[in-house]
Amino acid sequence: MLFSWRGGPRAQRLLLSLLLLAAWEAGSGQLHYSVTEEAKHGTFVGRIAQDLGLELAELVPRLFRVASKGREDLLEVNLQNGVLFVNSRIDREELCGRSAECSIHLEVIVDRPLQVFHVEVEVKDINDNPPLFPESKKRINVAESRPPETRFPLDGASDADVGVNSALTYRLDPNDYFALDAQNNREQTSSLSLVLRKILDREEIQEHSLLLTASDGGKPELTGTVQLLITILDVNDNAPEFDQSIYKVRVLENAFNGTLVIKLNATDPDDGINGDIVYSFRRPVSPAVVNAFIINPNSGEIRTKGKLDFEEKKLYEISVEAIDKGNVPMAGHCTLLVEVLDVNDNSPEVIITSLSLPIREDTQPSAVIALISVSDRDSGANGQVTCSLTPHVPFKLVSTFKNYYSLVLDSALDRESTAHYQLVVTARDGGSPSLWATASVSLEVADVNDNAPAFAQPEYTVFVKENNPPGCHIFTVSARDADAQENALVSYSLVERRVGERALSSYVSVHAESGKVYALQPLDHEELELLQFQVSARDAGVPPLGSNVTLQVFVLDENDNVPALLASRAGGSGGAVSELVPRSVGAGHVVTKVRAVDADSGYNAWLSYELQPAVGSARSPFRVGLYTGEISTTRALDEADAPLQRLLVLVKDHGEPALTATATVLVSLVESGQVPKSSSRESAGVAGPEAALVDVNVYLIISICAVSSLLVLTLLLYTALRCSAPPTDVACGPGKATLVCSSAVGSWSYSQQRRQRVCSGEGPPKTDLMAFSPGLPPCPGSAEGTGQREADSEHLKEVSSYF
C-alpha cells in the first residue's frame, strides 16, 4: 500500500512514529533490534526514542531510563539523539552459552506519566571461536588382528559459537590404512570414528601419526587440530561389545545420592583374562560427569553422585568404554545419554521496584505505584508464575507483559482513615505441589489539606461579669484538624463586624495560636447585655481551609448604679420636697410619693424605701411604703404634732452590697382652710384611681407569675443540660454569677432605660419586668423580719407602681 504525503520532514517523521507505534501495540508489545557480538563501543543499535514515539526534548524531563536484568552496562541510550548504542563488549558465548537464541531484554521507563516499554535486542553470533579438541594429542592402541571396517571412536572438537559458525567438518591426513567417518544422529550428537581400511601389519608399521583437522562454517573459517598417535598392538584380537551403541535414560533431578541410573553390559568372546571386562568413563571425562555420576568398574552400574540440577544441566552425554584384561587390552565403546527431568524445586522470585513513594492521598485511581517482575528457574508448568495481592483494596495488580506486573491504585485514598498500607505480593508457580514466594510493599500515604478545622460544637455560651479588668481571659476556643503537619496547624481570628457604632475588635480579641478570647475593655451590662460574634479557625494548608464558631457572651449585672431619684410633683429632683397637709386628715392619708429608678437589673434594681427617724423627735405620724415610696399618715394628726415635719426617706437597692440614696420631704401641717383646692382634690381622689389600678395589677401579677413558672422550668432543664456538658470558662471575678434572686413575694429582675439590648445595637430602649415564682431560695442579705413581713402583705399593691 502506498501513501502520498505532502507534509514537511517533521510531519513525515511524526506519521512514521505513529505507524511504528500502532504496529508495535498491535504486535507483541516489544521493540526488536539486533547487534553482533564483539561490536565496538558506540556501535549503533537503533533509534529507540523515535521507535517508541517519544520526542527527544521530553527524554530528560520525563526521566527516560533503561534497565536490564543482569548486565546493565552492555547497552546505553544517548539522551541527546535517542539512539541505543553498544556501551561495553558483548560476548554472546558468555551471555547465553550455546543457546540458539540470545537476547538482551531491556525495560524502558519514562515518568509523567509513567510508561513502561519492553525492548529485545538480539545478539548475533560471529565466528570468533575456533574449534577445540579435548587434547592436542590422542593415543590409540589398535590390535593388528582387527579386521577392516573396524571403527575407533574419536572425540570431536567443540565450537563455542552457534549456528553455521559451529558447524564443524573434519579432514584427516591422506593415508592407506585409516579413514574418517563423521555422522550426526537424530539426538543432535556427533559421531566421529576412525575406520580401518585394510589389515594392519605391526611388523611393517608399528605406529601411525595422523593429523585430524576440524573446520567451522564461519567466514573466514577457523580450524583446530589434534595429533592422532596410533600404536599397533599384537595378541588379543577380540574387543568387548555393548548391546547398543547409544543408551538413553531419564532421571529426576531430585534423585537421591547413589540412585541407579543404568547397568551396562558388554560381552567378550575371549577366554580367561582376555574376556574379563573393566568398565570406565572414556577419557577425557568432563568435570560435570565426574561430579554427577560414578561407574562400578566390575558390574557396569552407573549411579548418581551428588545432586543433579535441571536448571544447570539438562542432558549428560557420557562415553563409556569396556576394556578387557588381555595382554593386549581391547576396548568396546558406547554412548550414554542421561536426560535430567525437572521437578518443582525452585520457588518464584519477586522483584519490586518502587517508583513513587509516598503516595499523595489525592492520587487518582489507575495511577501506577510500583513495578513488579517475577521469575522461576523451573520449566513448563513448574516455571509458570501467577501473582496475587493482599489486601485487595485499594490497590490491584495489572499484568503488563509476561512475568511483569504493575501495582495500580484501584480506588481513592484517605490518609485520615488509613495512613499506611502493608501490601504482600504472592507469586505462586504451577507445580504440584506449587511453591510460592512473597514480597512486602510498605506504602505511606502523604497528607493533603482536605479537612477543615472542626469545633466540638457550633456555638458556645459564656457568662462574664461586668466591670471586668481590661485584657481579661473570658473563654478558650479549640478546633481540631484531622490532617497532619502544617495542614493541621490551626490559627484563630475574629470574624470582624460592627457592634453598634464600634468595631468588634474594640471589645474582644483572640490569640492566634492558643484560641484564648480576651475582653479588651471593661464590659457594661447597662450598655451591652449580649455580645455575639464568631471566631474563625483556619489551617496552614495550601489552599487553607477554615470554619467558624459562634460565641454568645452574656454580660452579668453587678450592683454598680446608685438609685436615682426622679422629680416629684412638688419639688425638683434630688432636693427637698415640700407638701401641705391639713391637720384634719385621718390615718392612711397619702401625702406624697417618692420616685426612684436604678440602672441595674434584677435584684440590683429592686428598690425599697425606708423612713429614717429624726434624732430626738417623738414617734412620727408618717410612714413610707416599702416598695411603693408612698408617704402616708399612720394616725390622725393632732395639735401636739409639730407644724413642720422633716422626713428623710432612704432609697436602697437589693444588691451586694446595697447602694442607697436619700430624699428629704418637708411636710407642713396647716388648717383645712389653708390647703389649696387642687391639693385637696388630689388627696381626696387618691384612693379611687389607685384602688382601680391595684385591681388591674392583681390580674397582671397573676399572669406574670404563670409565665415566670414556665420560665423557671425552662431554666432548670437548661441547667441540667449544661451540667452534663463540659464546663465552659467563665472568667473575670470569683464565685458564681447570681442571675435570679427570690424573696417571699416572688423572684424578679428589673432593668430601666436599657441603652442597648443586644450586641447588634438594634431596637429602642425598653423597660423590662421579669417575674418568677417564689420557689427559689432568697438571696443572701435579703431583707427579713418585721419590715419584710409588712412588705409582703402590701406587695401586690405596691409593685403596680413600677408600671
Side-chain angles (χ1 to χ4, degrees):
M1 182 180 293
L2 298 178
F3 292 90
S4 176
W5 182 262
R6 297 183 180 181
R10 177 178 177 85
Q12 293 177 0
R13 289 196 301 271
L14 178 59
L15 177 61
L16 180 59
S17 300
L18 292 175
L19 290 175
L20 288 174
L21 180 60
W24 172 65
E25 291 180 347
S28 63
Q30 277 187 309
L31 283 180
H32 294 272
Y33 297 110
S34 64
V35 64
T36 59
E37 65 171 329
E38 305 296 339
K40 294 182 180 180
H41 173 76
T43 299
F44 174 85
V45 178
R47 300 186 181 278
I48 188 171
Q50 178 178 339
D51 295 341
L52 291 176
L54 301 175
E55 292 291 338
L56 296 180
E58 64 181 3
L59 296 184
V60 174
R62 291 188 64 185
L63 301 180
F64 183 95
R65 57 195 183 277
V66 175
S68 65
K69 189 174 181 181
R71 297 289 300 275
E72 299 182 359
D73 59 343
L74 299 179
L75 300 172
E76 189 57 68
V77 176
N78 188 332
L79 298 181
Q80 303 300 321
N81 54 21
V83 170
L84 181 66
F85 63 93
V86 176
N87 188 44
S88 61
R89 174 179 175 270
I90 302 176
D91 187 348
R92 187 185 187 281
E93 288 69 34
E94 178 183 350
L95 191 64
C96 301
R98 292 188 55 81
S99 176
E101 296 180 358
C102 184
S103 299
I104 299 175
H105 297 276
L106 302 178
E107 194 173 78
V108 179
I109 304 172
V110 293
D111 291 335
R112 306 169 189 167
L114 177 65
Q115 290 180 286
V116 181
F117 306 94
H118 298 276
V119 179
E120 183 179 25
V121 180
E122 179 184 3
V123 180
K124 293 186 175 181
D125 184 54
I126 64 172
N127 193 23
D128 60 337
N129 292 281
L132 295 176
F133 285 93
E135 48 193 357
S136 60
K137 290 183 180 181
K138 173 70 174 177
R139 292 188 177 274
I140 302 174
N141 296 325
V142 180
E144 64 175 343
S145 60
R146 298 302 292 269
E149 300 303 319
T150 300
R151 293 177 174 270
F152 304 93
L154 297 176
D155 292 320
S158 62
D159 195 321
D161 297 319
V162 295
V164 68
N165 294 329
S166 65
L168 302 181
T169 58
Y170 299 88
R171 65 180 180 272
L172 187 65
D173 286 352
N175 65 94
D176 297 329
Y177 293 93
F178 297 93
L180 190 65
D181 184 17
Q183 296 180 354
N184 290 327
N185 56 29
R186 289 181 300 176
E187 283 72 30
Q188 301 298 321
T189 60
S190 60
S191 174
L192 186 63
S193 302
L194 193 64
V195 181
L196 182 62
R197 285 184 174 180
K198 65 179 182 178
I199 297 174
L200 298 171
D201 187 358
R202 181 181 178 278
E203 284 70 26
E204 181 180 353
I205 301 175
Q206 296 182 358
E207 187 178 83
H208 296 266
S209 179
L210 303 176
L211 184 65
L212 177 61
T213 303
S215 303
D216 60 24
K219 293 183 180 180
E221 69 176 11
L222 300 179
T223 61
T225 60
V226 60
Q227 188 74 30
L228 300 179
L229 300 176
I230 304 172
T231 302
I232 308 302
L233 303 177
D234 203 8
V235 231
N236 194 13
D237 57 351
N238 287 291
E241 292 184 359
F242 289 94
D243 300 334
Q244 302 172 213
S245 60
I246 297 177
Y247 294 88
K248 292 184 287 185
V249 294
R250 294 180 177 181
V251 62
L252 293 174
E253 66 172 323
N254 63 345
F256 293 105
N257 187 15
T259 299
L260 177 64
V261 178
I262 192 173
K263 185 179 186 302
L264 296 175
N265 183 37
T267 59
D268 193 324
D270 294 327
D271 293 331
I273 61 173
N274 291 330
D276 294 338
I277 299 175
V278 177
Y279 300 91
S280 64
F281 296 136
R282 184 165 60 85
R283 297 180 183 278
V285 187
S286 68
V289 173
V290 172
N291 294 331
F293 302 97
I294 188 173
I295 186 170
N296 189 314
N298 299 317
S299 65
E301 290 181 349
I302 297 179
R303 295 181 179 273
T304 58
K305 173 188 175 184
K307 179 175 174 57
L308 302 178
D309 192 348
F310 171 84
E311 288 70 41
E312 292 184 2
K313 195 169 183 63
K314 302 176 178 60
L315 179 67
Y316 291 89
E317 182 178 346
I318 306 173
S319 296
V320 181
E321 64 181 2
I323 304 174
D324 60 26
K325 297 180 180 180
N327 189 25
V328 181
M330 300 188 70
H333 303 86
C334 73
T335 300
L336 174 63
L337 298 178
V338 181
E339 181 183 358
V340 180
L341 301 180
D342 181 45
V343 296
N344 194 24
D345 60 343
N346 289 280
S347 298
E349 295 181 359
V350 183
I351 299 177
I352 297 177
T353 305
S354 297
L355 298 179
S356 51
L357 294 177
I359 314 170
R360 287 173 56 89
E361 65 175 316
D362 60 349
T363 301
Q364 295 300 317
S366 77
V368 177
I369 308 303
L371 299 179
I372 302 171
S373 62
V374 296
S375 61
D376 195 313
R377 297 179 61 195
D378 294 322
S379 63
N382 296 332
Q384 295 178 356
V385 181
T386 57
C387 276
S388 61
L389 181 67
T390 305
H392 299 288
V393 179
F395 301 94
K396 66 178 180 180
L397 287 179
V398 177
S399 178
T400 58
F401 193 67
K402 180 181 179 181
N403 292 339
Y404 287 91
Y405 295 84
S406 294
L407 179 61
V408 177
L409 182 62
D410 193 35
S411 59
L413 298 172
D414 185 8
R415 190 204 66 84
E416 287 69 43
S417 60
T418 306
H420 176 267
Y421 291 92
Q422 190 71 31
L423 306 181
V424 177
V425 178
T426 303
R428 190 179 300 272
D429 61 27
S432 181
S434 63
L435 299 179
W436 52 274
T438 61
S440 296
V441 184
S442 182
L443 300 179
E444 293 290 340
V445 181
D447 182 54
V448 297
N449 192 26
D450 57 348
N451 289 279
F455 292 93
Q457 54 191 77
E459 68 177 21
Y460 295 91
T461 301
V462 184
F463 297 93
V464 180
K465 288 185 177 181
E466 66 174 330
N467 301 320
N468 57 280
C472 173
H473 171 224
I474 61 175
F475 193 70
T476 300
V477 294
S478 178
R480 181 182 176 275
D481 196 310
D483 293 320
Q485 297 177 353
E486 66 274 1
N487 294 333
L489 186 61
V490 180
S491 60
Y492 303 91
S493 62
L494 286 177
V495 179
E496 188 60 74
R497 57 179 291 259
R498 303 293 296 178
V499 180
E501 297 181 355
R502 298 171 61 182
L504 173 65
S505 57
S506 65
Y507 286 96
V508 292
S509 68
V510 60
H511 192 273
E513 296 180 0
S514 65
K516 291 185 177 181
V517 181
Y518 299 92
L520 299 181
Q521 63 181 16
L523 300 176
D524 188 357
H525 173 80
E526 288 72 41
E527 176 185 351
L528 187 67
E529 293 183 9
L530 172 62
L531 179 60
Q532 182 172 310
F533 58 93
Q534 288 186 324
V535 176
S536 174
R538 188 170 297 272
D539 59 32
V542 179
L545 300 178
S547 61
N548 296 340
V549 66
T550 300
L551 264 67
Q552 292 186 345
V553 179
F554 287 90
V555 182
L556 303 180
D557 183 53
E558 286 190 336
N559 193 25
D560 57 346
N561 288 279
V562 176
L565 297 171
L566 301 179
S568 68
R569 62 175 182 260
S573 174
V577 179
S578 298
E579 293 290 344
L580 298 177
V581 177
R583 288 182 177 271
S584 60
V585 298
H589 175 75
V590 177
V591 176
T592 186
K593 186 174 185 179
V594 177
R595 291 180 175 86
V597 295
D598 196 313
D600 295 322
S601 62
Y603 255 64
N604 296 328
W606 187 14
L607 302 181
S608 61
Y609 301 86
E610 298 179 8
L611 189 63
Q612 299 294 314
V615 178
S617 62
R619 181 174 177 267
S620 174
F622 300 96
R623 64 181 292 272
V624 63
L626 180 62
Y627 299 114
T628 62
E630 289 184 348
I631 299 176
S632 59
T633 58
T634 60
R635 58 179 174 79
L637 301 178
D638 53 30
E639 296 297 330
D641 292 323
L644 180 61
Q645 299 283 334
R646 184 181 182 88
L647 305 179
L648 185 62
V649 179
L650 178 67
V651 183
K652 180 173 65 174
D653 59 28
H654 287 70
E656 289 285 342
L659 300 180
T660 61
T662 57
T664 301
V665 179
L666 299 177
V667 179
S668 298
L669 302 182
V670 298
E671 298 300 330
S672 299
Q674 298 176 356
V675 178
K677 293 183 179 181
S678 61
S679 299
S680 301
R681 285 193 300 269
E682 271 186 10
S683 301
V686 167
E690 287 190 356
L693 182 61
V694 169
D695 294 337
V696 173
N697 287 336
V698 167
Y699 296 106
L700 180 60
I701 292 301
I702 293 174
S703 300
I704 290 175
C705 290
V707 174
S708 299
S709 300
L710 292 177
L711 182 58
V712 169
L713 179 60
T714 303
L715 287 176
L716 290 176
L717 293 176
Y718 173 76
T719 303
L721 293 176
R722 291 288 296 175
C723 291
S724 63
T728 58
D729 291 343
V730 179
C732 302
K736 297 181 180 178
T738 303
L739 300 181
V740 180
C741 290
S742 65
S743 69
V745 296
S747 302
W748 59 288
S749 64
Y750 169 75
S751 61
Q752 178 77 13
Q753 298 295 330
R754 288 290 171 262
R755 285 172 288 176
Q756 196 166 2
R757 289 287 295 170
V758 292
C759 60
S760 62
E762 298 177 358
K766 297 180 180 179
T767 298
D768 301 335
L769 174 64
M770 292 187 292
F772 306 102
S773 68
L776 297 175
C779 290
S782 60
E784 297 179 358
T786 306
Q788 182 65 50
R789 288 191 298 270
E790 181 183 359
D792 294 343
S793 62
E794 299 180 359
H795 177 70
L796 293 177
K797 174 184 177 182
E798 295 170 348
V799 75
S800 63
S801 65
Y802 282 87
F803 293 87

